[in-house]
């Protein structure tokens, strides 16, 4: 199923900032071996891994439009942000995010809520924008919903070593200072159509977002999964995980719950269309494209 698509009275739009190769698969998944990759190369290439064993990833947000609300899930990398350790995200100056919003019929002032699945650099960037040398909320009318333990963890890290987490300094703390954040538990129920599911492991208090009603619903994964390879091998951790063992348990729990359901997965970092049903596959899980 190609985005945007509708669930009765809800529409989900992708807002894509970047799609391409960013990381070597073997470095991104530290426990991945060349042998294992050889076994899986046939189904991974070319969509998910390129000819040089680099992962094809999408950097995107999703907009949920309901009758009452316009909600942004995650906020990509953002513009003008110094990211010296990630050259492909350093000091971006791109209109793709804004154009993606416009394609969904929206401008920044239309967004009522920003839901932050977790506080990594490629998920919080557009939380803020540069105005007269200061970082201010990009979405002037939005409340930003963050998990309380996630924020506490990153706030502490920023206090100890700000140079290690520049995205917290420029894209998270200004939201707190502007009093635009709402702190919740990672099982927060937003309303009868939208609720969070705790998906810890990739970060300390990561959440995914379940949208719609049973039988016509979508799970926006955030980073509980990065590549379908982590479906086939749920225990495969990625380099930036807080606790890869916990992340593996989370994947099994979530995929077990949804593998016989009609729920559509919107896997944030999967290349477009980024959507599919999850189904059992040996000891793991695969993603089956959904027909339009
Ligand atoms: Zn992440």
């Amino acid at each position: 199923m190609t985005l945007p698509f509708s669930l009765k009275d809800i529409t989900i739009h992708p807002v894509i900032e970047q799609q391409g190769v960013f990381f070597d698969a073997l470095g991104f998944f530290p426990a991945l071996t060349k042998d294992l990759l050889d076994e899986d190369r046939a189904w991974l290439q070319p969509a998910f891994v390129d000819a040089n064993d680099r992962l094809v990833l999408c950097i995107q947000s999703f907009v949920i439009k309901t009758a009452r609300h316009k909600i942004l899930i995650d906020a990509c990398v953002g513009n003008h942000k110094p990211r010296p350790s990630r050259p492909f995200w350093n000091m971006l100056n791109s209109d793709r995010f804004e154009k993606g919003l416009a394609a969904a019929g929206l401008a920044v002032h239309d967004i009522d809520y920003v839901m932050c699945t977790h506080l990594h650099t490629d998920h919080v960037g557009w939380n803020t924008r540069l105005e007269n040398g200061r970082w201010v909320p990009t979405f002037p009318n939005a409340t930003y919903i963050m998990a309380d333990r996630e924020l506490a963890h990153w706030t502490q890290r920023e206090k100890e070593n700000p140079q290690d987490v520049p995205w917290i300094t420029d894209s998270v703390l200004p939201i707190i200072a502007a009093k635009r954040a709402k702190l919740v538990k990672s099982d927060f129920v937003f309303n009868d159509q939208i609720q969070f599911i705790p998906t810890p492991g990739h970060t300390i208090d990561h959440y995914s977002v379940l949208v719609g009603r049973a039988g016509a619903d979508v799970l926006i994964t955030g980073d509980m999964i990065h590549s379908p390879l982590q479906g086939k091998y749920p225990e495969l951790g990625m380099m930036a995980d807080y606790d890869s063992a916990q992340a593996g348990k989370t994947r099994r729990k979530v995929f077990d719950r949804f593998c016989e359901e009609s729920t559509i997965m919107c896997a944030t970092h999967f290349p477009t269309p980024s959507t599919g049903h999850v189904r059992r596959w040996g000891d793991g899980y695969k993603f089956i494209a959904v027909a339009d």
Side-chain angles (χ1 to χ4, degrees), residues 107-129:
V108 291
H109 60 262
D110 294 318
I111 300 294
D112 305 303
Y113 291 93
V114 178
M115 296 177 173
C116 307
T117 64
H118 67 302
L119 302 181
H120 273 161
T121 186
D122 54 325
H123 293 258
V124 298
W126 281 105
N127 279 1
T128 59
R129 65 185 175 83

